[in-house]
């Protein structure tokens, strides 16, 4: 027994010598510079930065909406009658044109789609019929429907038999209550019932709807007054090549039709 203990004593002492105390080499337990960047404090700073940006963005929106209420829009409408600007007289060059923002719309039968239909890297133009020219008419209030019709009706009459031309009359609904699923379905159901005999119409004017928050959509298109109508003529890449506002004049309708013809031959 004593001999066995004598044999183990040198072995234990050698193992003890091989173990280095942590206090003698503190540099070996320090985190690497890469790990130091991923500390909880760093994650917290990123979160706070994103949170501050979101708060700043929301404050700007609240300030904007408080300064532009319905009373302000009504006062503006009395001054210009919905004519916030004159329509373009010529096509906007493709290099200077801005892209129309994506907008999800729904038909009265419940079918959904995304506007505009355009050529892109993700879409095979051979499999999808991309129009050469699309007229998108936006109305945020029922008041502006007459304005939209002043553009849409002459457009349909001129291009009803033309291939490669689309027309979309879009009614944008922001009301939180009307966007609730039961009421939304009821509204779409009522829209399926025409208030006139469509069988007597030679021209069809499709209407689509967009439910939800359109604040940032309006900001992209610089839409300020929601009581007027906005008309956008797009090319096959979804770029805004012509724009009109309010009630159409005879000269503006002529400009729209001629610019559409040019766009189809571009």
């Amino acid at each position: 027994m004593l001999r066995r203990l004598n044999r183990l004593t040198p072995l234990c002492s050698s193992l003890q010598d091989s173990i280095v105390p942590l206090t003698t080499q503190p540099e070996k337990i320090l985190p690497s510079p890469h790990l130091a960047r991923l500390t909880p404090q760093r994650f917290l700073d990123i979160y706070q930065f994103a949170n501050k940006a979101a708060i700043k963005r929301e404050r700007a929106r609240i300030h904007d909406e408080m300064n532009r209420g319905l009373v302000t829009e009504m006062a503006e409408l009395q001054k210009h009658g919905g004519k916030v600007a004159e329509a373009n007289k010529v096509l906007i060059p493709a290099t200077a044109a801005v892209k129309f923002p994506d907008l999800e719309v729904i038909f009265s039968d419940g079918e959904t789609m995304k506007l505009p239909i355009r050529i892109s890297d993700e879409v095979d133009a051979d499999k999808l019929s991309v129009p050469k020219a699309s007229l998108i008419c936006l109305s945020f209030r029922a008041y502006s429907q007459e304005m939209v019709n002043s553009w849409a009706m002459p457009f349909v009459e001129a291009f009803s038999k033309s291939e490669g031309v689309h027309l979309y009359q879009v009614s944008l609904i922001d009301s939180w209550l009307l966007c609730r699923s039961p009421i939304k379905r009821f509204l779409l159901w009522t829209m399926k019932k025409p208030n006139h005999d469509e069988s007597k119409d030679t021209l069809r004017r499709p209407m689509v709807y967009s439910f939800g928050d359109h604040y940032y959509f309006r900001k992209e298109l610089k839409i300020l007054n929601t009581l007027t109508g906005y008309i956008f003529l797009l090319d096959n890449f979804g770029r805004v090549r012509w724009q009109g506002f309010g009630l159409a004049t005879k000269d503006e309708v002529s400009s729209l039709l001629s610019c559409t013809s040019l766009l189809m031959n571009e």
Side-chain angles (χ1 to χ4, degrees):
M1 185 70 177
L2 183 60
R3 291 180 179 178
R4 291 182 181 179
L5 289 176
N6 293 333
R7 292 177 182 176
L8 289 175
T9 301
L11 179 62
C12 292
S13 60
S14 62
L15 288 174
Q16 185 175 4
D17 295 337
S18 64
I19 299 175
V20 180
L22 293 179
T23 55
T24 60
Q25 296 183 356
E27 66 278 1
K28 291 189 176 182
I29 64 170
L30 289 177
S32 67
H34 299 287
L35 292 177
R37 297 174 186 173
L38 301 178
T39 59
Q41 182 63 39
R42 176 64 174 171
F43 285 120
L44 183 60
D45 291 342
I46 294 174
Y47 171 77
Q48 289 178 345
F49 176 79
N51 195 36
K52 287 180 180 179
I55 293 174
K56 184 178 179 180
R57 188 181 185 189
E58 191 62 25
R59 284 178 177 174
R61 171 174 179 167
I62 294 173
H63 178 76
D64 185 27
E65 291 182 333
M66 289 181 64
N67 290 334
R68 293 205 56 83
L70 185 59
V71 176
T72 303
E73 293 185 349
M74 287 293 294
E76 292 177 352
L77 194 68
Q78 292 179 354
K79 292 181 180 179
H80 52 58
K83 209 68 173 174
V84 296
E86 296 295 328
N88 295 110
K89 295 182 179 180
V90 297
L91 278 177
I92 300 172
T95 54
V98 299
K99 286 189 175 182
F100 191 89
D102 290 336
L103 180 66
E104 185 173 326
V105 298
I106 182 170
F107 291 85
S108 58
D109 60 0
E111 180 184 354
T112 61
M113 68 174 297
K114 183 177 290 186
L115 292 177
I117 300 176
R118 60 171 179 255
I119 296 175
S120 65
D121 297 336
E122 300 177 356
V123 177
D124 188 348
D126 295 331
K127 296 180 180 179
L128 183 64
S129 178
V130 178
K132 292 183 178 180
S134 300
L135 189 70
I136 298 183
C137 308
L138 303 180
S139 60
F140 295 86
R141 312 277 183 178
Y143 180 85
S144 61
Q145 189 58 49
E146 182 181 356
M147 303 178 188
V148 168
N149 292 340
S150 68
W151 301 93
M153 293 179 67
F155 187 86
V156 172
E157 292 176 0
F159 299 103
S160 60
K161 298 181 180 180
S162 300
E163 296 182 359
V165 180
H166 286 189
L167 165 67
Y168 299 97
Q169 296 186 63
V170 186
S171 178
L172 298 103
I173 302 170
D174 287 325
S175 171
W176 177 87
L177 179 62
L178 298 181
C179 290
R180 299 301 92 194
S181 293
I183 300 179
K184 175 182 174 180
R185 288 196 297 267
F186 176 75
L187 284 176
L188 293 174
W189 178 77
T190 58
M191 296 301 179
K192 293 172 66 175
K193 297 181 178 181
N195 54 10
H196 62 281
D197 187 1
E198 289 187 335
S199 62
K200 296 180 180 179
D201 293 342
T202 57
L203 303 174
R204 183 175 176 271
R205 291 173 289 156
M207 174 72 76
V208 294
Y209 308 88
S210 179
F211 293 84
D213 183 7
H214 300 103
Y215 175 80
Y216 295 107
F217 171 81
R218 290 189 283 110
K219 293 290 284 185
E220 285 193 56
L221 292 174
K222 295 181 171 58
I223 293 176
L224 298 178
N225 196 305
T226 60
L227 295 177
T228 190
Y230 295 85
I231 317 299
F232 299 90
L233 180 65
L234 314 182
D235 61 14
N236 54 355
F237 287 95
R239 297 172 298 199
V240 179
R241 304 295 299 277
W242 184 96
Q243 187 173 359
F245 311 87
L247 280 170
T249 65
K250 185 177 180 179
D251 290 339
E252 288 177 331
V253 169
S254 178
S255 173
L256 170 61
L257 300 183
S258 62
C259 286
T260 304
S261 298
L262 290 172
L263 201 56
M264 294 174 63
N265 298 321
E266 214 179 48

